[in-house]
Amino acid sequence: MTAAKKTSQAAADGERPGREAAELELARQLAERAQAEGLSLTGPGGLLGRLTKVVLEGALEGELDAHLGYAKHDPAGRDGGNSRNGHRAKTVLTDVGPVQIDMPRDRDASFAPVIVAKRQRRLGGVDDMVISLVAKGLTTGEVQAHLAEIYGAEVSRDTISTITDRVLDGLAEWQSRPLDPVYAVLFIDAINVKIRDGQVANRPIYTVLGVTADGERDILGLWAGEHGDGEGAKFWLRVLTEIKNRGTRDVLMVVCDGLKGLPDAIAQAWPQAVTQTCIVHLLRNSFRYASKRDWAAIAKDLKPVYAAASETEALDRFAEFSGTWEARYPAIVKLWESAWAEFVPFLAFDREIRSIICTTNAIESLNARFRRSVKARGHFPTEQAALKHLYLVILSLDPTGRGRQRWSNRWKAALNAFDITFDGRLSAGRK
């Protein structure tokens, strides 16, 4: 760095704390003045509203200066063709409530402001707020009441629906975006959503969550199934083929919950992929066939089966379990026997991989967010409305990024084990 640059940098560093102190002092003076005048901080006529008005109007005047090529009252603008033509009042909804501003105009009406565009009635932060409230499960009526109560703003339900409908283009683009060439694991699970299609019925919405070669989580998409037991190999082959056509050439493992036809579809889409059933779901399904008073004992006797060091040991422990419980609960034994082929793959891997793949907790935390948001809505008028709502929930996930960091840290050790176990297929996908 040259001496001149060092001097300039030092001056800037010295100027920054002084400027910040001046800004803090100005903010303090404004707050004291507002308090003395009986002004509230927010709401109609509040301090933040007045400051917002000053900032917006100043920015609009600056945009008009740039458009005309001269500043206000500058003699250079005299008899130069286009010129200023007064103002018109306009009310815009902002994060601090409705703010009335004076929009500058020019004579030939060619001025197209950016900060507050023509016919724009809301600033971007308001749209983000509405989307966030809807994603948290509030209905359009509840969002309308919230904006009226907190900000004194009258926003119709149709406007709120229009704001959320703007994400539909984003949903279509997100659902068809290119994907990574290889994923360490795909987790597949579903939640049931009430959709009115002639009559209200539960419909499954399937989510596919992938773990990338760098340990990042990636929600690949949302797919609506049919009411009842309508999904089979053909449905799943269509979903997996869509994922494959978006660029995913290889998947090391798919963790799911015994979905009908899914293992066959996985074998066709990615022949080398290992299909692993979710142990937690298998245990829950087992409890459905048993009296609640026996749950603890059944869980204790099943643990040696899924904690076995090898498949041979797991078979021995399962034989012991069957000898104890088959007479009372034959359906549980039959359930495990039917799921055995998809249950045992993880027994061949080391502990780092087992701890990650033996459960779909990774996707169940996402489903928990979905359920909380959907619960307040009752039912959706169409399949598209349900998909749009769940996409809004996805957009609102992990705003601080801390959750993504915790996820990445948890996967670091497992990724190395995956790459070794699967002969470098994971690292090859990074190239």
Side-chain angles (χ1 to χ4, degrees), residues 134-325:
V134 172
K136 287 178 172 58
L138 273 67
T139 63
T140 54
E142 290 169 336
V143 175
Q144 181 187 43
H146 175 82
L147 294 176
E149 178 182 356
I150 303 300
Y151 301 101
E154 295 296 330
V155 181
S156 70
R157 293 189 182 188
D158 288 342
T159 298
I160 294 169
S161 295
T162 300
I163 291 173
T164 57
D165 281 345
R166 289 180 179 175
V167 306
L168 289 176
D169 290 340
L171 170 60
E173 183 179 349
W174 174 76
Q175 190 80 357
S176 60
R177 75 194 188 282
L179 300 176
D180 283 11
V182 62
Y183 285 92
V185 184
L186 294 186
F187 294 95
I188 301 178
D189 205 359
I191 64 165
N192 284 315
V193 175
K194 295 184 184 297
I195 296 176
R196 187 179 67 244
D197 186 8
Q199 60 181 4
V200 177
N202 277 328
R203 293 270 301 278
I205 304 292
Y206 296 99
T207 308
V208 179
L209 184 149
V211 181
T212 71
D214 296 319
E216 297 288 335
R217 59 185 174 188
D218 185 10
I219 301 173
L220 275 56
L222 300 166
W223 289 268
E226 297 299 326
H227 173 56
D229 192 24
E231 289 78 46
K234 187 178 293 185
F235 170 84
W236 284 113
L237 186 59
R238 175 174 62 82
V239 171
L240 300 186
T241 299
E242 179 183 325
I243 293 173
K244 190 174 181 180
N245 290 340
R246 288 163 61 190
T248 301
R249 303 188 305 268
D250 191 16
V251 173
L252 307 187
M253 186 171 292
V254 180
V255 180
C256 55
D257 176 28
L259 297 167
K260 182 179 177 182
L262 181 53
D264 293 337
I266 294 170
Q268 290 188 56
W270 301 292
Q272 291 182 287
V274 174
T275 302
Q276 171 65 50
T277 194
C278 172
I279 308 304
V280 171
H281 279 84
L282 198 54
L283 289 170
R284 288 176 184 168
N285 293 337
S286 301
F287 296 150
R288 292 178 183 175
Y289 298 108
S291 172
K292 192 171 184 178
R293 68 174 180 271
D294 292 328
W295 285 5
I298 290 173
K300 180 180 178 181
D301 288 350
L302 280 173
K303 185 173 181 179
V305 179
Y306 61 81
S310 65
E311 182 177 354
T312 300
E313 183 184 343
L315 283 168
D316 292 341
R317 301 292 81 78
F318 182 67
E320 294 172 1
F321 174 85
S322 300
T324 304
W325 295 100

Side-chain angles (χ1 to χ4, degrees), residues 74-106:
D74 189 336
R78 294 176 184 173
D79 302 322
N82 193 18
S83 61
R84 285 172 168 77
N85 190 26
H87 299 79
R88 64 179 179 86
K90 177 177 181 176
T91 300
V92 293
L93 182 57
T94 72
D95 291 349
V96 297
V99 174
Q100 184 174 2
I101 59 175
D102 292 325
M103 294 284 294
R105 300 185 299 182
D106 60 338

